[in-house]
Amino acid sequence: MKITGLKTLVVNAQMRNWVFVKVETSQPGVFGWGEASLEWKTRAVVGAIEDFEAMLTGENPLNIEHLYQKMYRQSFWALGVIGMSAISAIEQALWDIKGKELGVPVYHLLGGKVRDRVRMYTHLGGGDMKAVYETFSVEPLIALAHDVIDKGYTALKVVFVPYSKTIEGRGKVTQFASMFGQLREAVGPDIDIMVDFHGRTTPAMAIQYINAIEEFHPFFCEEPVRPENIDTIKMVTDHTKVPIATGERHVSIYHFKEIFEKNAVHVIQPDLCHCGGLWAARKIAAMAEVYNMGVAPHNPLGPVANAVALHFALSTPNFLIQEDMLTDVPWRWDVVETEISSEKGFWAVPTRPGLGIEINEKEAKKHPFKQEIMHSNTIRDDDNAILDW
């Protein structure tokens, strides 16, 4: 069996475009699917996938690690998130092919099942970008949280950290703590609440924000500062008592090295559509296991990414909880044929070979590429300076 080609299928899902990759083979009816969705870089990722086609055509698709090494090392230039997203999707599709060829679900090939179900959490507002990133009033915050809980989730994520300058006054800290306190009171003690700081703050402000909500027991605080400087993340970890998480914007096993060496966080969040795929994520998780860190993969993407994340979670001992965005568009499950199901905030174990999904290409093509929704407004300070969103 040889690889005969790579095809991309772009599906517009309002907040983002899903980029599906189909790896075709010389064996009739045998192909695999992966996902390389990357916000606001859709055309670039599709181009990167096309660039890899010549490198892979004629290769045996079952030699997954060999082909990963070929794509990564023969590219010569260090690959950023665009190149790594392309590799990730292709790698996922190779696992899909291998599982189908051997007649087993992919998690069997990753060491087998270590749990019987997978706990999930989701965002407020589903695919409504404004609801996810700009809910700064208590009433809609609580209403959206109850909507998530009514769907059966026992954990949710909020993103109402104020857009911040290097140093802010007491007002924003007080407002943030008040909102979190009222949310905790509204949802009760048994719902886990994660706070995504989205890199909006500096260590000085992140420490103040996190210490102000410590009494309300956040499950973890994510990406409290921009992720480029690991020392600044560690500074936050060292001066707070709430678990700290990061990793969604780190796109290879090498980018995680410093995090582990410095014990910079408590939870890592590799994105399986950006970090190199399933096997790269397993390598990252194995390194995290040595440092007693949990793994909570980043994933606000499409249904193929959901399937990939499920197989990872089922086979990874230090897996913690899985992000999803299953309510982004009402037709999400029309574009895939799958047995994958969820109930009361947990995914069930799939039994079909491979990743357990097939793309309904006819349905998918009903939602062709469109320019993704940009953040409603470029985030600016009151003096018009650009802030992190």
Side-chain angles (χ1 to χ4, degrees):
M1 181 165 54
K2 305 293 182 184
I3 294 174
T4 57
L6 309 179
K7 289 186 177 178
T8 56
L9 178 60
V10 177
V11 178
N12 179 259
Q14 297 181 16
M15 186 185 290
R16 56 180 51 83
N17 284 300
W18 298 334
V19 181
F20 298 143
V21 179
K22 185 179 186 181
V23 176
E24 299 178 321
T25 75
S26 57
Q27 189 165 314
V30 177
F31 51 83
W33 288 102
E35 182 169 343
S37 306
L38 181 63
E39 298 89 335
W40 309 323
K41 298 293 183 289
T42 300
R43 302 171 187 86
V45 171
V46 169
I49 293 164
E50 292 172 350
D51 286 339
F52 280 122
E53 184 173 39
M55 189 180 289
L56 297 180
T57 299
E59 291 279 6
N60 183 341
L62 304 183
N63 294 333
I64 300 173
E65 177 70 6
H66 174 71
L67 297 184
Y68 174 90
Q69 294 291 333
K70 185 175 185 180
M71 288 186 287
Y72 189 90
R73 297 170 70 176
Q74 294 300 305
S75 291
F76 182 70
W77 296 102
L79 295 172
V81 67
I82 293 168
M84 290 303 295
S85 297
I87 287 180
S88 299
I90 295 166
E91 192 263 9
Q92 296 165 11
L94 297 178
W95 283 107
D96 192 27
I97 290 170
K98 191 159 193 165
K100 291 173 180 175
E101 180 70 5
L102 298 177
V104 295
V106 165
Y107 64 82
H108 278 301
L109 305 176
L110 301 174
K113 181 165 64 75
V114 298
R115 54 183 47 83
D116 294 327
R117 59 180 186 167
V118 172
R119 190 184 185 203
M120 309 182 311
Y121 72 89
T122 196
H123 295 258
L124 307 185
D128 182 345
M129 195 170 199
K130 190 174 181 65
V132 172
Y133 295 108
E134 296 184 13
T135 301
F136 293 112
S137 299
V138 171
E139 292 78 10
L141 175 72
I142 291 173
L144 290 167
H146 280 305
D147 183 58
V148 168
I149 295 167
D150 289 344
K151 290 181 170 65
Y153 289 91
T154 60
L156 55 89
K157 181 184 283 184
V158 293
V159 197
F160 58 79
V161 177
Y163 301 115
S164 300
K165 293 181 286 193
T166 308
I167 299 290
E168 291 285 356
R170 180 179 176 84
K172 285 192 175 181
V173 178
T174 302
Q175 175 194 5
F176 173 70
S178 174
M179 285 189 66
F180 197 101
Q182 291 179 74
L183 175 63
R184 169 57 74 201
E185 183 178 1
V187 302
D190 298 326
I191 298 297
D192 287 319
I193 306 171
M194 284 141 280
V195 186
D196 187 353
F197 277 61
H198 226 243
R200 290 177 180 176
T201 65
T202 60
M205 288 311 304
I207 291 166
Q208 291 188 63
Y209 287 133
I210 294 170
N211 286 340
I213 62 171
E214 177 191 330
E215 64 180 297
F216 306 120
H217 298 283
F219 195 64
F220 59 68
C221 289
E222 174 180 332
E223 207 168 60
V225 296
R226 287 194 60 88
E228 294 91 339
N229 186 335
I230 304 304
D231 285 330
T232 60
I233 298 173
K234 182 170 173 53
M235 188 184 304
V236 176
T237 301
D238 288 346
H239 290 85
T240 56
K241 295 180 181 179
V242 174
I244 303 298
T246 198
E248 70 179 72
R249 288 194 262 185
H250 296 273
V251 295
S252 83
I253 59 173
Y254 304 106
H255 291 173
F256 284 86
K257 175 177 177 288
E258 188 180 358
I259 295 175
F260 298 131
E261 289 177 341
K262 294 182 175 178
N263 270 300
V265 296
H266 306 95
V267 179
I268 58 162
Q269 300 175 286
D271 190 311
L272 278 64
C273 292
H274 306 318
C275 75
L278 269 162
W279 198 240
R282 285 301 303 273
K283 291 178 181 179
I284 293 165
M287 290 189 283
E289 188 176 2
V290 174
Y291 291 89
N292 295 312
M293 293 183 188
V295 185
H298 177 255
N299 176 33
L301 305 177
V304 178
N306 291 145
V308 172
L310 173 57
H311 288 270
F312 172 85
L314 285 169
S315 58
T316 301
N318 53 333
F319 166 82
L320 178 63
I321 193 168
Q322 178 59 57
E323 178 180 20
D324 75 44
M325 197 170 286
L326 302 185
T327 58
D328 50 1
V329 286
W331 43 264
R332 164 180 276 259
W333 299 109
D334 294 341
V335 303
V336 293
E337 298 167 0
T338 182
E339 64 167 350
I340 294 173
S341 62
S342 63
E343 183 177 3
K344 295 183 178 179
F346 288 86
W347 273 330
V349 178
T351 59
R352 286 173 54 176
L355 293 175
I357 53 96
E358 295 295 345
I359 302 297
N360 184 326
E361 297 187 52
K362 182 178 179 181
E363 285 294 321
K365 289 176 181 177
K366 293 180 180 178
H367 310 279
F369 168 83
K370 293 181 182 178
Q371 175 60 55
E372 299 96 322
I373 297 174
M374 305 296 284
H375 198 285
S376 57
N377 294 293
T378 299
I379 303 304
R380 300 175 186 269
D381 198 3
D382 52 16
D383 64 0
N384 207 37
I386 300 296
L387 300 176
D388 285 287
W389 65 278

